[in-house]
Amino acid sequence: MIRTRTGPAARKPETSARPPLVRELLLVAGLFLVYKLGRQAATGRTGEAFRNADRVWDWERALHLPGEGSVQGVLLDSGTLVHLANTYYATVHFPATVLFLGWLYWRRPGHYLWARRVLSVLTGAALALHLLMPLAPPRLLAATGLVDTGQVYGPTVYGESPGTDTLANQFAAMPSLHVGWALMVAVGLIAATRSRWRWLWLLHPLLTLLVVIGTANHYWLDALVAVALLTGTLTAIRAPRPRSPRRGSLVARSAAAQLPPVAPVAPVTSGAGR
């Protein structure tokens, strides 16, 4: 008789596909360190960064994109909204991405490997653009007339002067990795889960987009370039197909049902009793 495992063991996560934790921690930390050092290598190009900012501002007006000030104006109507937007910008970006990778690693190891590769390629492409095209954000460009909400209302993750900021490169506006990573978190969770509510994860990149524009940390084009880079990366690195947790047991039961019936065997009796 063929027995199938239909209990909890049949629905156990694919732990065999999960890569070693220490190796993954070192790999992700190493990639992050390379990225931070690479961004710092682009500092000191102040004149070029502001010339590029003038060009981007002119391109947006030529493309008739909405002004970033329309979003910031809504925030400035409420000190609470401004503070919440600055806090979201400063505190959600990295923790949300780390939690996303951690959950995938534990629950969806196949999707984790895919998401880690996509984020690595996206971040590498962003670093290349940061080095090729240093760009001052709109909060530093006087022509925009925008307010540096981080410095005025707080909290902020940047120093007062880009030239003396040793923690971050303020001339790495394009593309917006805040938007790129947030969109990948949403795409990854939608691909890895089956809940009918999973599409609500798209609110995360939408809110992130409004925050980075409203706080004048990015231009609309920064977000559009990030979306284009992520789209190209997702086209090249395909997501694994979701696997139903009961797929194995259903296949086994189907195979068992197709076997021909076995005729009952009559008991063998000894001739000594005759």
Side-chain angles (χ1 to χ4, degrees), residues 183-217:
L183 184 57
M184 182 55 204
V185 168
V187 170
L189 290 173
I190 291 171
T193 58
R194 301 265 62 86
S195 169
R196 61 181 176 178
W197 302 103
R198 67 189 186 279
W199 298 98
L200 291 177
W201 286 112
L202 290 173
L203 292 176
H204 174 47
L206 177 60
L207 181 57
T208 300
L209 172 63
L210 295 177
V211 164
V212 300
I213 298 298
T215 57
N217 281 291

XYZ file of all heavy atoms in Angstrom, residues 183-217:
279
model
N 10.025 49.380 -3.458
C 9.256 48.694 -4.496
C 9.634 47.224 -4.564
O 8.766 46.351 -4.753
C 9.493 49.371 -5.847
C 8.687 48.817 -7.024
C 7.191 48.873 -6.738
C 9.014 49.591 -8.308
N 10.907 46.899 -4.363
C 11.328 45.501 -4.380
C 10.754 44.746 -3.183
O 10.392 43.568 -3.299
C 12.856 45.403 -4.383
C 13.367 43.957 -4.443
S 12.691 43.072 -5.864
C 12.823 41.376 -5.295
N 10.664 45.392 -2.040
C 10.036 44.753 -0.874
C 8.594 44.382 -1.207
O 8.136 43.263 -0.922
C 10.095 45.688 0.355
C 9.197 45.164 1.470
C 11.527 45.809 0.856
N 7.869 45.307 -1.817
C 6.479 45.033 -2.178
C 6.379 43.933 -3.215
O 5.578 42.996 -3.080
C 5.812 46.312 -2.690
N 7.186 44.013 -4.266
C 7.157 42.996 -5.323
C 7.520 41.625 -4.754
O 6.892 40.609 -5.081
C 8.118 43.381 -6.459
C 8.296 42.230 -7.442
C 7.592 44.612 -7.199
N 8.542 41.584 -3.898
C 8.977 40.318 -3.318
C 7.916 39.673 -2.449
O 7.687 38.463 -2.525
N 7.239 40.471 -1.634
C 6.201 39.919 -0.762
C 4.969 39.492 -1.559
O 4.308 38.507 -1.222
C 5.821 40.945 0.303
C 6.898 41.192 1.369
C 6.504 42.344 2.277
C 7.146 39.930 2.190
N 4.662 40.216 -2.610
C 3.543 39.820 -3.463
C 3.851 38.504 -4.170
O 2.993 37.626 -4.299
C 3.231 40.933 -4.490
C 2.638 42.152 -3.778
C 2.280 40.430 -5.571
C 2.493 43.375 -4.660
N 5.105 38.340 -4.611
C 5.491 37.124 -5.324
C 5.589 35.919 -4.395
O 5.321 34.787 -4.814
C 6.833 37.337 -6.029
N 5.943 36.143 -3.142
C 6.211 35.027 -2.229
C 5.003 34.607 -1.405
O 5.056 33.587 -0.722
C 7.356 35.394 -1.283
N 3.930 35.377 -1.434
C 2.756 35.052 -0.622
C 1.535 34.886 -1.519
O 1.536 35.281 -2.686
C 2.484 36.154 0.411
O 2.298 37.410 -0.263
C 3.648 36.289 1.371
N 0.488 34.298 -0.955
C -0.715 34.007 -1.728
C -1.961 34.708 -1.179
O -3.044 34.524 -1.691
C -0.971 32.483 -1.752
C 0.159 31.684 -2.356
C -0.054 31.403 -3.834
N -0.117 32.585 -4.682
C 0.947 33.178 -5.202
N 2.147 32.749 -4.969
N 0.794 34.235 -5.972
N -1.812 35.501 -0.139
C -2.964 36.179 0.447
C -3.585 37.151 -0.554
O -2.877 37.817 -1.321
C -2.538 36.946 1.707
O -3.579 37.800 2.138
N -4.900 37.258 -0.526
C -5.568 38.196 -1.428
C -5.306 39.644 -1.022
O -5.602 40.572 -1.787
C -7.073 37.927 -1.441
C -7.751 38.080 -0.095
C -9.231 37.766 -0.223
N -9.903 37.806 1.068
C -11.205 37.611 1.220
N -11.956 37.361 0.170
N -11.741 37.645 2.420
N -4.774 39.850 0.193
C -4.447 41.194 0.666
C -3.008 41.591 0.354
O -2.585 42.691 0.719
C -4.667 41.286 2.188
C -6.053 40.950 2.617
C -6.478 39.793 3.192
C -7.206 41.785 2.503
N -7.830 39.845 3.458
C -8.303 41.063 3.040
C -7.426 43.073 1.999
C -9.592 41.584 3.085
C -8.715 43.590 2.047
C -9.778 42.857 2.577
N -2.267 40.727 -0.308
C -0.837 40.988 -0.510
C -0.563 42.221 -1.366
O 0.508 42.822 -1.269
C -0.152 39.765 -1.119
C -0.583 39.424 -2.535
C -0.004 38.062 -2.938
N -0.246 37.715 -4.332
C -1.378 37.209 -4.785
N -2.376 36.977 -3.945
N -1.514 36.919 -6.068
N -1.526 42.608 -2.193
C -1.308 43.788 -3.048
C -1.242 45.078 -2.249
O -0.772 46.106 -2.748
C -2.404 43.872 -4.104
C -2.397 42.693 -5.025
C -3.183 41.576 -4.967
C -1.496 42.480 -6.132
N -2.845 40.689 -5.967
C -1.820 41.220 -6.695
C -0.471 43.232 -6.694
C -1.141 40.706 -7.790
C 0.202 42.722 -7.787
C -0.133 41.478 -8.327
N -1.683 45.032 -1.005
C -1.585 46.227 -0.163
C -0.133 46.592 0.148
O 0.138 47.708 0.597
C -2.360 46.017 1.146
C -3.881 45.936 1.017
C -4.507 45.654 2.380
C -4.449 47.226 0.429
N 0.791 45.653 -0.081
C 2.206 45.971 0.128
C 2.667 47.099 -0.796
O 3.679 47.753 -0.525
C 3.065 44.731 -0.098
C 2.973 43.740 1.010
C 2.407 42.498 0.978
C 3.476 43.896 2.354
N 2.506 41.867 2.198
C 3.160 42.713 3.067
C 4.139 44.919 3.022
C 3.499 42.528 4.398
C 4.476 44.739 4.357
C 4.161 43.556 5.019
N 1.952 47.348 -1.887
C 2.314 48.439 -2.794
C 2.155 49.806 -2.137
O 2.695 50.806 -2.633
C 1.457 48.373 -4.061
C 1.762 47.201 -5.004
C 0.744 47.148 -6.126
C 3.181 47.309 -5.572
N 1.449 49.854 -1.023
C 1.341 51.126 -0.295
C 2.694 51.559 0.255
O 2.932 52.764 0.435
C 0.332 50.982 0.853
C -1.133 50.790 0.447
C -1.997 50.565 1.689
C -1.633 51.990 -0.348
N 3.581 50.601 0.527
C 4.903 50.950 1.055
C 5.718 51.771 0.054
O 6.190 52.869 0.401
C 5.640 49.683 1.475
C 7.058 49.891 1.899
N 7.435 50.887 2.775
C 8.206 49.230 1.563
C 8.747 50.833 2.968
N 9.224 49.847 2.240
N 5.909 51.320 -1.198
C 6.650 52.178 -2.138
C 5.908 53.465 -2.483
O 6.551 54.493 -2.734
C 6.818 51.285 -3.372
C 5.786 50.225 -3.248
C 5.609 49.998 -1.780
N 4.573 53.422 -2.489
C 3.829 54.655 -2.772
C 4.054 55.689 -1.680
O 4.330 56.871 -1.969
C 2.337 54.337 -2.901
C 1.417 55.546 -3.125
C 1.799 56.282 -4.396
C -0.045 55.115 -3.175
N 3.967 55.257 -0.429
C 4.217 56.179 0.682
C 5.670 56.653 0.676
O 5.948 57.840 0.939
C 3.893 55.479 2.004
C 4.065 56.307 3.284
C 3.214 57.568 3.227
C 3.713 55.479 4.512
N 6.594 55.743 0.362
C 8.005 56.128 0.292
C 8.230 57.183 -0.781
O 8.978 58.149 -0.571
C 8.872 54.893 -0.005
O 8.697 53.930 1.037
C 10.340 55.265 -0.104
N 7.573 57.026 -1.932
C 7.706 58.013 -3.007
C 7.231 59.384 -2.534
O 7.918 60.400 -2.748
C 6.887 57.553 -4.216
C 6.763 58.560 -5.366
C 8.131 58.859 -5.960
C 5.806 58.046 -6.424
N 6.070 59.439 -1.895
C 5.552 60.727 -1.420
C 6.471 61.336 -0.369
O 6.650 62.565 -0.319
C 4.145 60.536 -0.858
C 3.074 60.106 -1.876
C 1.741 59.884 -1.175
C 2.940 61.129 -2.993
N 7.074 60.500 0.467
C 7.958 60.999 1.519
C 9.237 61.574 0.926
O 9.659 62.678 1.304
C 8.282 59.868 2.522
C 9.486 60.235 3.382
C 7.080 59.602 3.415
N 9.883 60.862 0.006
C 11.163 61.354 -0.524
C 10.959 62.611 -1.362
O 11.850 63.474 -1.431
C 11.887 60.267 -1.345
C 12.175 59.047 -0.486
C 11.123 59.877 -2.604
N 9.801 62.741 -2.004
C 9.514 63.955 -2.772
C 9.134 65.091 -1.830
O 9.628 66.219 -1.960
C 8.381 63.701 -3.791
C 8.800 62.630 -4.807
C 8.015 64.996 -4.516
C 9.989 62.993 -5.653
N 8.264 64.802 -0.870
C 7.799 65.848 0.035
C 8.878 66.412 0.930
O 8.843 67.595 1.293
N 9.866 65.597 1.282
C 10.977 66.085 2.105
C 12.087 66.693 1.258
O 13.112 67.113 1.805
C 11.558 64.935 2.950
O 11.977 63.871 2.076
C 10.527 64.409 3.932
N 11.905 66.726 -0.048
C 12.856 67.329 -1.000
C 14.198 66.607 -1.023
O 15.229 67.209 -1.317
C 13.059 68.815 -0.688
N 14.163 65.308 -0.741
C 15.394 64.523 -0.846
C 15.604 63.945 -2.240
O 16.729 63.531 -2.559
C 15.364 63.384 0.181
C 15.707 63.846 1.575
O 16.843 64.214 1.870
N 14.713 63.854 2.463
